[in-house]
Amino acid sequence: MKNIKLQLFLIFNIILASCSSDGNDNDNELHNGEYYISYEINDNKIEYTTSISAYNYDSPSIGLYGVGMSGAYSNNALLIYLYDTAKISTGNYTGELIPGKYVSGAIISHGTSSEGYTSAAPNISSVAYANVNVTEINETYIAGNFNAALVSNSDYNTVTHIIKNGKFKLKFLIQ
């Protein structure tokens, strides 16, 4: 079920991004020159400056807090999810499972409308990982850096994508 939701979210972001005329246009209301996601995946540099967002999805009733971040352009998308038992703050979040919550502290996914890759969780893949360092967070934006080793949604045993030199500064959507 989680893979279906991930694929639907990736498809939505790719469709949204395909409506943008240029991945570096300044016409997106979230982009004013300072918000972005950039990273290298398998030594190819990708940067999103439009169709980018961050959003809170806190669930204090179940003791879980989160931030989702996304970027999309030209038939590819990146998703970063952070989870914790306290509000997301500055610090390091990894793909390790949160005890008793059945979710990893950080999940990174990358893909297209037809292919998806994920950092998975350690109980699903022993070779995938995610590492996200939040350096700044306030009511307006979240910033930091990240890296990951991703596996295919159909083969959790083989790393197919390496993400390095990831950086982000994203404006929170009003919720």
Side-chain angles (χ1 to χ4, degrees):
M1 183 68 168
K2 185 134 180 136
N3 278 343
I4 292 171
K5 287 181 184 178
L6 172 64
Q7 289 172 344
L8 289 174
F9 191 74
L10 282 169
I11 290 168
F12 170 76
N13 275 312
I14 291 165
I15 291 169
L16 180 67
S18 67
C19 296
S20 175
S21 61
D22 183 340
N24 293 316
D25 281 350
N26 291 328
D27 60 355
N28 185 306
E29 68 182 64
L30 292 177
H31 176 60
N32 65 7
E34 70 177 301
Y35 298 112
Y36 64 91
I37 299 176
S38 68
Y39 57 101
E40 293 175 33
I41 186 162
N42 294 347
D43 296 323
N44 293 312
K45 179 144 175 115
I46 295 180
E47 184 171 83
Y48 306 117
T49 57
T50 60
S51 300
I52 55 177
S53 63
Y55 42 90
N56 287 303
Y57 52 91
D58 297 342
S59 298
S61 62
I62 61 170
L64 200 59
Y65 297 84
V67 168
M69 296 173 269
S70 64
Y73 176 71
S74 186
N75 197 35
N76 69 63
L78 177 82
L79 305 171
I80 301 172
Y81 295 105
L82 303 178
Y83 298 96
D84 204 348
T85 55
K87 285 192 120 359
I88 302 299
S89 62
T90 58
N92 200 47
Y93 296 85
T94 69
E96 296 298 317
L97 287 175
I98 298 172
K101 298 298 178 186
Y102 306 102
V103 67
S104 297
I107 300 170
I108 298 176
S109 298
H110 182 271
T112 66
S113 57
S114 61
E115 298 175 297
Y117 306 93
T118 180
S119 63
N123 59 341
I124 295 173
S125 175
S126 62
V127 296
Y129 69 84
N131 185 26
V132 180
N133 184 33
V134 176
T135 57
E136 296 179 74
I137 186 168
N138 57 43
E139 291 180 5
T140 304
Y141 69 88
I142 183 170
N145 51 66
F146 62 96
N147 59 64
L150 308 181
V151 294
S152 169
N153 285 333
S154 61
D155 175 7
Y156 293 118
N157 298 313
T158 306
V159 171
T160 59
H161 291 72
I162 299 291
I163 294 178
K164 60 185 179 180
N165 300 319
K167 298 176 184 171
F168 60 88
K169 182 176 182 185
L170 298 169
K171 185 174 182 179
F172 280 110
L173 296 173
I174 304 297
Q175 298 177 352

